[in-house]
Amino acid sequence: ENQEEVFTYAESKEEEEARLAKEAEEAAIRAQEEAAARAGTGQQIVDFACQFIGNPYVWGGTSLTNGADCSGFVMSVYAAFGVGLPHSSAAMCGVGYGVSDMQPGDIICYSGHVAIYVGNNTIVHASTPESGIKYTSPVNYKPILAIRRIF
């Protein structure tokens, strides 16, 4: 019977400090990379959504080209990035997580309406049957109920 002897190795105080410092540095780098990925994705959402400016508003619609309502627009934009959202402006006020600082790509929730924040105090949204998919500024043209972030 061949049993290996197992020795436990105790780190010195210096080795422990060096290991902990390295782990903290790696965690900080990961956090920066994740934040950059989120910001990049938010900007990609905006860039994608803004291609559809001028297209029609259609109540109950989910087509970015042939027409969508406000939640159908947001749902279809996010679907292009593999994110499933409900086709309901009220339900969208509960998706992702709530934030207080608006970033591009965030979902802005109003009473009975949703939009996507593009930056610079501006949203893109399927507004009305008369105006279709368009920009609106300022963002708080009506009271904001919630700001939801997905990424």
Side-chain angles (χ1 to χ4, degrees):
E1 207 172 306
N2 184 8
Q3 285 190 324
E4 285 184 41
E5 290 186 42
V6 178
F7 294 99
T8 54
Y9 172 75
E11 299 180 299
S12 70
K13 189 76 182 138
E14 293 77 22
E15 288 169 324
E16 181 189 35
E17 286 169 2
R19 178 180 53 80
L20 293 174
K22 185 172 192 281
E23 287 171 4
E25 186 182 334
E26 288 168 353
I29 290 169
R30 270 196 310 280
Q32 279 180 322
E33 287 170 349
E34 287 167 10
R38 274 197 305 277
T41 307
Q43 190 58 54
Q44 288 174 331
I45 295 276
V46 168
D47 294 345
F48 182 75
C50 292
Q51 300 177 99
F52 305 103
I53 299 241
N55 289 353
Y57 176 101
V58 174
W59 192 87
T62 58
S63 170
L64 295 169
T65 48
N66 298 322
D69 61 14
C70 65
S71 60
F73 174 69
V74 173
M75 181 182 86
S76 295
V77 166
Y78 270 89
F81 293 84
V83 176
L85 294 177
H87 189 182
S88 151
S89 58
M92 279 188 190
C93 291
V95 300
Y97 55 100
V99 294
S100 56
D101 63 314
M102 285 180 220
Q103 302 281 332
D106 288 349
I107 298 170
I108 311 299
C109 299
Y110 305 92
S111 179
H113 191 65
V114 289
I116 296 172
Y117 185 66
V118 300
N120 201 23
N121 200 20
T122 304
I123 54 171
V124 61
H125 59 144
S127 182
T128 65
E130 295 73 35
S131 60
I133 297 171
K134 66 172 200 153
Y135 291 117
T136 295
S137 185
V139 174
N140 63 350
Y141 76 105
K142 56 188 193 175
I144 295 170
L145 300 182
I147 305 163
R148 307 301 297 185
R149 187 164 299 154
I150 304 297
F151 295 108

